Amino acid sequence: MKAKKVAVMLMAMSILAAGSALAVSAEESGEWATAAGNGIELPELEDGVLSIEVSIPDYQTTSEGTRIQELWQERMESYLGCTLDITWTRTPSSDYSNNELVILQSGAVTDVATVTKGAAVNEYGEDGTLLNLSDYMDYMVYYPEYMEDTNGGADFAKNEDGSMYYFMDGFYNPEDIEGAQSFTAFAYRFDILQEMGWQPATTLDEFTQLCADMQAGIDDGSIDLDYVIINNTKDYSLYRGFVGIFHTWDCLYYNEGEWRFGPIEDNFREMLKYLNSLYEAGYVDPEFATADYNAGVTKATTGVGGICPTLWAGSVSGWNTAATDENMEWGLAYLPSDETYGTAWKWGSRQAGKSLNANMGIYVSAETEHPEYVVAMIDYQYSDEMVELLNWGVEGEDYTVTDEGNVYAEKYTTAENPAVTTAEEGLMASSVCRTGIPFVPLDFNAMLDVSALPEPWWNAEEGYYEGKYWVESSRNGGEDSVSPYDRAPVTYLTAEEKSSKSQLDYGGVCETRVKELALQFIVGDLDIEDDSAWENYIADVKSQTDDDFDGILEMLNENTVTE
């Protein structure tokens, strides 16, 4: 196993400790922090003006000209002790994402730019296009705290040689809510369950019985449904709602100290056996693998199915709004457990506290004239005071502080669409407006307040109630629901090794082939009970890679940082 870069980590920790102490003293005084107050010595600027070009994507609502964007500039100028002369290049987010790598390949990058391609930028740092941020740690106070708090620590944010070519997107989760956004709950027709005196399943055995009871009701005409189970969309394999129950996954994942490919595991086979039994019993809509998202919405809102195991947060709320029957009510219950595997794993559990997301961030040109100022400016976006400003706004005007925490002003809470209203002010908790230089850390509590809709939920202790998906998936799933692949250790890979790994990732050639063959097992075209058919399936999946399949897994494990 490759050893950690101990010296680099210790350096980051010492900077974090010193910086945090200085930052706290500045904020506790009731004043806004300054770089000088944080012990940062910035070089003198001619005329006291920092002129830079910044390229950013614009999301559904632009931050340009908003009150919070203007306050961002004021606070930045105060922090840096200079005037900011920024030339902004704004591009619609979809176009921006499509052209990012083209711009990087050309080498004609602006001083600062948003990136949504994550670690793909590293090669442009290695060729000298981008600034090596690790050379400027002396100008950071706040970002190192996000580095250290993230699963994997400073190693997560840096390359194996200690280099760092982009600031990663941050996320602030003050109440340590380890919820997720999808595939953590089954959706049920609550109105039917209540009418029949049933309840959502807490175990897989109960789920099997509920399906049988619901099918009996369909057969005798007491329940007006076509099928028991529908799929949200063909874009998500039906088994994606069940892999967590069987403690496996549908592509490459990390478990029990090593990288594995879930679809060739015995657990995955057991899951396919179970799904085949549901299909053979006639419970599953035969169009589960062909109906698109729009068809899925139609099926949910016109009474085609009574249970949906694959869906995102917000789906139930949308279905209830669009329902053709005023008595129809969809609701959610956490994934059923299984006596063999225990609590079902959920995918995408949020990390507690402060964390980083490697998929998005901000890079700096190696040719920028004043890198010290630029690094200090971006670092300041990770400060508690700037995160609060951009997510919550101004105390007394946009929110108040209570014993329970921050509370948005009534002009937002009573608005017809709080997300739109907050976005118009430039508050990024709206999730449709990204203020400052994206990506400023998103405050989870603020986002939940204005962006997450309440949906019907059920659990065995409280019965039927309303809750928000992120919160309820954490509360009902509990600590045991956090899957090991959401807390995988750092794995250092070269560009070539990443290319090999991608063949086993979601959307890679192996996972694509799994979808095709697993479907045949579910519908019975391949016999899941036949050992030879299963061995042929494994051989077929492994044959999809250009490299040796087992060699890829071995390579990943050799390059993983372990304690």
Side-chain angles (χ1 to χ4, degrees):
M1 298 295 178
K2 295 190 176 180
K4 284 189 175 183
K5 303 300 181 181
V6 177
V8 172
M9 184 171 68
L10 291 175
M11 178 184 72
M13 290 175 66
S14 64
I15 291 170
L16 170 64
S20 295
L22 288 165
V24 168
S25 64
E27 294 178 19
E28 283 182 347
S29 68
E31 301 174 355
W32 288 86
T34 63
N38 281 338
I40 296 176
E41 295 184 14
L42 294 169
E44 190 171 335
L45 289 172
E46 184 178 353
D47 300 326
V49 177
L50 176 65
S51 298
I52 56 173
E53 296 181 6
V54 178
S55 296
I56 63 171
D58 253 347
Y59 292 87
Q60 291 163 269
T61 301
T62 181
S63 63
E64 185 176 15
T66 63
R67 178 170 57 88
I68 301 301
Q69 182 68 37
E70 291 174 356
L71 285 173
W72 174 91
Q73 173 123 356
E74 290 179 18
R75 301 284 164 79
M76 275 296 173
E77 291 180 337
S78 174
Y79 182 76
L80 297 173
C82 68
T83 298
L84 283 177
D85 176 23
I86 301 178
T87 300
W88 298 90
T89 299
R90 296 172 176 271
T91 307
S93 58
S94 58
D95 295 335
Y96 188 95
S97 178
N98 291 335
N99 293 320
E100 279 182 77
L101 294 183
V102 174
I103 292 171
L104 281 164
Q105 289 163 3
S106 73
V109 299
T110 55
D111 293 286
V112 182
T114 294
V115 61
T116 66
K117 298 295 187 290
V121 306
N122 285 331
E123 64 178 283
Y124 304 101
E126 293 167 359
D127 71 9
T129 301
L130 305 181
L131 191 71
N132 184 353
L133 301 173
S134 65
D135 292 337
Y136 293 87
M137 296 294 292
D138 287 346
Y139 299 92
M140 298 183 201
V141 173
Y142 305 100
Y143 185 67
E145 185 174 352
Y146 279 83
M147 292 169 62
E148 290 300 325
D149 282 2
T150 300
N151 180 56
D155 287 325
F156 179 83
K158 293 191 175 187
N159 300 315
E160 188 177 11
D161 63 0
S163 61
M164 185 168 67
Y165 296 111
Y166 68 110
F167 287 91
M168 294 181 179
D169 183 20
F171 195 86
Y172 179 41
N173 182 4
E175 295 183 14
D176 299 342
I177 299 169
E178 296 186 286
Q181 193 176 15
S182 60
F183 312 115
T184 74
F186 287 174
Y188 300 86
R189 279 284 302 274
F190 275 9
D191 59 306
I192 292 177
L193 298 189
Q194 290 174 299
E195 181 181 351
M196 302 300 293
W198 301 332
Q199 61 186 30
T202 61
T203 69
L204 202 59
D205 286 342
E206 288 180 6
F207 183 77
T208 306
Q209 185 61 53
L210 178 60
C211 289
D213 292 341
M214 194 172 285
Q215 184 64 50
I218 294 172
D219 293 341
D220 68 21
S222 61
I223 296 177
D224 185 16
L225 292 174
D226 295 331
Y227 300 98
V228 175
I229 298 172
I230 58 172
N231 196 8
N232 189 20
T233 168
K234 65 182 177 64
D235 297 328
Y236 298 118
S237 299
L238 185 66
Y239 55 72
R240 204 159 208 237
F242 291 84
V243 281
I245 298 172
F246 287 81
H247 283 195
T248 184
W249 191 232
D250 58 358
C251 60
L252 181 70
Y253 81 117
Y254 190 84
N255 186 22
E256 295 183 342
E258 63 179 1
W259 289 99
R260 303 177 175 191
F261 191 71
I264 63 174
E265 294 182 311
D266 290 341
N267 295 24
F268 198 89
R269 185 183 184 184
E270 290 303 313
M271 178 200 65
L272 291 179
K273 289 180 181 179
Y274 181 71
L275 291 180
N276 173 250
S277 73
L278 297 180
Y279 186 85
E280 292 294 334
Y283 302 154
V284 184
D285 173 14
E287 295 181 341
F288 76 93
T290 57
D292 63 14
Y293 174 79
N294 290 331
V297 172
T298 300
K299 289 174 183 291
T301 56
T302 58
V304 173
I307 300 173
C308 182
T310 54
L311 71 163
W312 289 80
S315 297
V316 160
S317 176
W319 294 347
N320 288 337
T321 299
T324 55
D325 180 351
E326 63 179 12
N327 295 317
M328 180 184 293
E329 183 185 50
W330 281 94
L332 298 158
Y334 191 75
L335 299 173
S337 63
D338 180 76
E339 62 179 9
T340 301
Y341 305 105
T343 301
W345 290 342
K346 64 183 190 296
W347 167 75
S349 297
R350 281 293 184 187
Q351 290 187 44
K354 297 177 179 179
S355 62
L356 296 173
N357 175 1
N359 296 327
M360 301 174 286
I362 305 166
Y363 65 72
V364 179
S365 169
E367 300 300 318
T368 192
E369 186 176 0
H370 300 288
E372 303 89 352
Y373 277 87
V374 172
V375 170
M377 177 181 69
I378 299 170
D379 173 69
Y380 185 46
Q381 290 195 147
Y382 293 83
S383 68
D384 289 350
E385 58 190 26
M386 284 298 277
V387 170
E388 185 162 64
L389 171 67
L390 271 62
N391 283 275
W392 290 98
V394 178
E395 184 178 355
E397 184 173 352
D398 298 296
Y399 73 97
T400 56
V401 179
T402 71
D403 292 340
E404 288 74 36
N406 292 351
V407 177
Y408 278 111
E410 285 190 7
K411 61 181 177 181
Y412 302 129
T413 59
T414 61
E416 182 177 353
N417 191 327
V420 171
T421 305
T422 50
E424 290 171 348
E425 295 292 324
L427 291 167
M428 53 176 282
S430 63
S431 296
V432 295
C433 180
R434 298 304 295 245
T435 318
I437 301 174
F439 295 95
V440 177
L442 186 66
D443 184 302
F444 199 13
N445 285 3
M447 184 200 77
L448 286 173
D449 278 2
V450 297
S451 302
L453 295 173
E455 298 177 286
W457 275 82
W458 176 91
N459 66 42
E461 291 73 33
E462 300 167 88
Y464 295 94
Y465 64 97
E466 282 211 335
K468 295 188 175 182
Y469 197 106
W470 286 101
V471 176
E472 301 309 321
S473 62
S474 175
R475 192 166 69 96
N476 290 312
E479 185 177 344
D480 291 342
S481 70
V482 177
S483 58
Y485 43 95
D486 282 334
R487 302 293 184 262
V490 175
T491 302
Y492 290 119
L493 301 176
T494 65
E496 184 178 350
E497 289 168 339
K498 288 175 184 173
S499 178
S500 294
K501 171 181 176 290
S502 68
Q503 298 173 90
L504 275 61
D505 283 331
Y506 191 74
V509 291
C510 291
E511 189 267 338
T512 299
R513 185 58 172 157
V514 166
K515 284 181 178 176
E516 298 169 358
L517 297 178
L519 173 62
Q520 296 180 49
F521 280 125
I522 292 172
V523 301
D525 292 342
L526 291 175
D527 185 0
I528 191 61
E529 299 288 352
D530 184 342
D531 291 343
S532 62
W534 181 250
E535 291 302 321
N536 289 338
Y537 156 78
I538 292 176
D540 190 322
V541 171
K542 286 186 173 183
S543 72
Q544 302 301 311
T545 61
D546 295 329
D547 313 291
D548 175 62
F549 181 95
D550 293 322
I552 295 173
L553 292 176
E554 183 178 349
M555 174 271 293
L556 289 170
N557 288 316
E558 288 177 349
N559 286 276
T560 295
V561 175
T562 57
E563 298 295 343

